[in-house]
Amino acid sequence: MIDKSTPILHVKTVEPSLRFWTERFGFSATIQVPEGDHIGFVALESGPIELMYQTYEGMKNAGAALAKAAAQGPSFIFMEVPDIEVIIKALEGTEVVQRLYETPYDAKEVVAKEPGGHFVIFSQLPKH
Protein backbone atom coordinates (compact mmCIF):
# COMPACT_ATOMS: atom_id res chain seq x y z
CA MET A 1 0.00 0.00 0.00
CA ILE A 2 2.88 2.42 0.81
CA ASP A 3 6.22 2.06 -0.96
CA LYS A 4 8.29 4.73 0.75
CA SER A 5 8.20 7.51 3.32
CA THR A 6 10.43 10.59 3.12
CA PRO A 7 10.42 13.56 5.48
CA ILE A 8 10.29 17.06 3.97
CA LEU A 9 12.11 19.47 6.25
CA HIS A 10 11.39 23.16 5.86
CA VAL A 11 14.17 25.70 6.23
CA LYS A 12 14.98 29.33 5.57
CA THR A 13 17.82 28.34 3.22
CA VAL A 14 18.52 24.90 1.75
CA GLU A 15 22.25 25.21 1.05
CA PRO A 16 23.63 24.85 4.63
CA SER A 17 21.60 21.67 5.21
CA LEU A 18 22.60 20.33 1.79
CA ARG A 19 26.29 20.76 2.69
CA PHE A 20 25.74 19.20 6.15
CA TRP A 21 24.45 15.93 4.69
CA THR A 22 26.66 15.72 1.58
CA GLU A 23 29.97 16.76 3.15
CA ARG A 24 29.64 15.01 6.53
CA PHE A 25 27.57 11.91 5.73
CA GLY A 26 28.04 11.23 2.01
CA PHE A 27 24.49 11.93 0.85
CA SER A 28 23.94 12.86 -2.81
CA ALA A 29 21.51 15.44 -4.17
CA THR A 30 19.16 13.66 -6.56
CA ILE A 31 16.82 16.59 -7.27
CA GLN A 32 17.49 20.32 -7.02
CA VAL A 33 14.91 22.97 -7.84
CA PRO A 34 16.06 26.57 -8.13
CA GLU A 35 14.24 29.43 -6.46
CA GLY A 36 15.57 32.74 -7.73
CA ASP A 37 19.31 32.86 -6.98
CA HIS A 38 19.29 29.91 -4.54
CA ILE A 39 18.00 26.35 -4.16
CA GLY A 40 14.33 26.13 -3.22
CA PHE A 41 14.06 22.35 -2.94
CA VAL A 42 16.48 19.43 -2.75
CA ALA A 43 16.12 15.67 -2.38
CA LEU A 44 19.07 13.93 -0.74
CA GLU A 45 19.79 10.23 -0.81
CA SER A 46 22.19 7.76 0.77
CA GLY A 47 21.26 4.19 -0.07
CA PRO A 48 17.67 3.65 1.09
CA ILE A 49 17.68 6.82 3.23
CA GLU A 50 16.13 9.95 1.71
CA LEU A 51 15.57 13.46 3.05
CA MET A 52 13.95 16.42 1.34
CA TYR A 53 14.40 20.10 2.13
CA GLN A 54 12.19 22.95 0.96
CA THR A 55 12.34 26.64 1.77
CA TYR A 56 9.59 28.34 3.76
CA GLU A 57 9.29 30.69 0.78
CA GLY A 58 8.57 27.75 -1.52
CA MET A 59 5.84 26.52 0.80
CA LYS A 60 3.86 29.72 0.22
CA ASN A 61 2.79 28.21 -3.11
CA ALA A 62 1.17 25.29 -1.22
CA GLY A 63 -1.37 27.58 0.46
CA ALA A 64 -1.52 29.55 3.69
CA ALA A 65 -2.49 26.65 5.99
CA LEU A 66 0.38 24.41 4.88
CA ALA A 67 2.88 27.29 4.85
CA LYS A 68 1.92 28.18 8.42
CA ALA A 69 2.22 24.55 9.54
CA ALA A 70 5.67 24.20 7.92
CA ALA A 71 6.91 27.29 9.76
CA GLN A 72 6.03 25.84 13.18
CA GLY A 73 8.96 23.30 13.20
CA PRO A 74 11.48 22.12 14.11
CA SER A 75 11.29 18.44 13.27
CA PHE A 76 13.09 15.52 14.91
CA ILE A 77 14.69 12.80 12.78
CA PHE A 78 15.69 9.44 14.27
CA MET A 79 18.48 7.65 12.40
CA GLU A 80 19.81 4.21 13.25
CA VAL A 81 23.57 3.94 12.75
CA PRO A 82 25.98 0.99 12.95
CA ASP A 83 28.83 2.90 14.69
CA ILE A 84 28.09 5.93 16.87
CA GLU A 85 31.80 6.82 17.11
CA VAL A 86 31.95 7.42 13.34
CA ILE A 87 28.95 9.75 13.68
CA ILE A 88 30.53 11.66 16.57
CA LYS A 89 33.63 12.26 14.43
CA ALA A 90 31.48 13.41 11.47
CA LEU A 91 29.68 15.87 13.78
CA GLU A 92 32.87 17.67 14.87
CA GLY A 93 32.39 21.41 14.43
CA THR A 94 28.58 21.19 14.38
CA GLU A 95 25.97 21.96 17.03
CA VAL A 96 25.72 18.84 19.20
CA VAL A 97 22.86 19.43 21.65
CA GLN A 98 23.13 16.10 23.51
CA ARG A 99 26.51 14.47 23.79
CA LEU A 100 26.84 10.69 23.75
CA TYR A 101 24.54 9.00 26.24
CA GLU A 102 23.07 5.57 26.84
CA THR A 103 19.30 5.18 26.79
CA PRO A 104 17.15 2.99 29.07
CA TYR A 105 16.83 0.62 26.08
CA ASP A 106 20.66 0.31 25.89
CA ALA A 107 21.15 2.36 22.73
CA LYS A 108 24.06 4.79 22.41
CA GLU A 109 22.80 8.12 21.09
CA VAL A 110 23.94 11.61 20.23
CA VAL A 111 21.68 14.48 19.14
CA ALA A 112 22.74 17.23 16.74
CA LYS A 113 20.99 20.30 15.40
CA GLU A 114 21.47 20.47 11.65
CA PRO A 115 21.94 23.91 10.01
CA GLY A 116 18.21 24.25 9.19
CA GLY A 117 17.31 24.01 12.89
CA HIS A 118 16.01 20.44 12.91
CA PHE A 119 17.19 17.87 15.46
CA VAL A 120 18.80 14.60 14.38
CA ILE A 121 18.97 11.73 16.86
CA PHE A 122 21.70 9.30 15.81
CA SER A 123 21.23 5.96 17.57
CA GLN A 124 23.37 2.86 17.72
CA LEU A 125 20.91 0.23 18.87
CA PRO A 126 22.08 -2.72 20.96
CA LYS A 127 22.99 -5.89 19.07
CA HIS A 128 20.84 -8.87 19.91
Side-chain angles (χ1 to χ4, degrees):
M1 182 177 269
I2 297 173
D3 289 334
K4 189 174 184 177
S5 175
T6 304
I8 303 172
L9 305 170
H10 296 94
V11 292
K12 183 176 180 184
T13 56
V14 168
E15 290 81 358
S17 296
L18 171 62
R19 285 190 299 275
F20 178 82
W21 291 106
T22 58
E23 294 173 8
R24 294 181 180 276
F25 299 102
F27 277 68
S28 299
T30 57
I31 302 169
Q32 287 189 38
V33 178
E35 186 177 86
D37 63 351
H38 56 275
I39 300 170
F41 175 89
V42 68
L44 299 165
E45 195 172 272
S46 177
I49 310 301
E50 185 178 46
L51 298 169
M52 295 178 180
Y53 281 89
Q54 183 174 13
T55 62
Y56 295 119
E57 184 66 30
M59 274 303 291
K60 290 180 181 175
N61 296 330
L66 287 179
K68 182 179 177 185
Q72 291 175 350
S75 295
F76 289 76
I77 307 163
F78 183 88
M79 294 193 157
E80 291 181 28
V81 300
D83 186 346
I84 198 70
E85 295 300 328
V86 171
I87 298 301
I88 291 169
K89 186 165 179 58
L91 290 172
E92 287 177 3
T94 67
E95 188 176 350
V96 174
V97 296
Q98 175 68 55
R99 299 222 173 269
L100 182 64
Y101 66 99
E102 194 163 317
T103 69
Y105 47 93
D106 296 327
K108 294 178 182 174
E109 296 183 351
V110 63
V111 182
K113 191 174 192 183
E114 59 83 47
H118 301 284
F119 295 93
V120 185
I121 303 161
F122 295 97
S123 181
Q124 180 182 327
L125 298 174
K127 295 181 174 135
H128 294 5

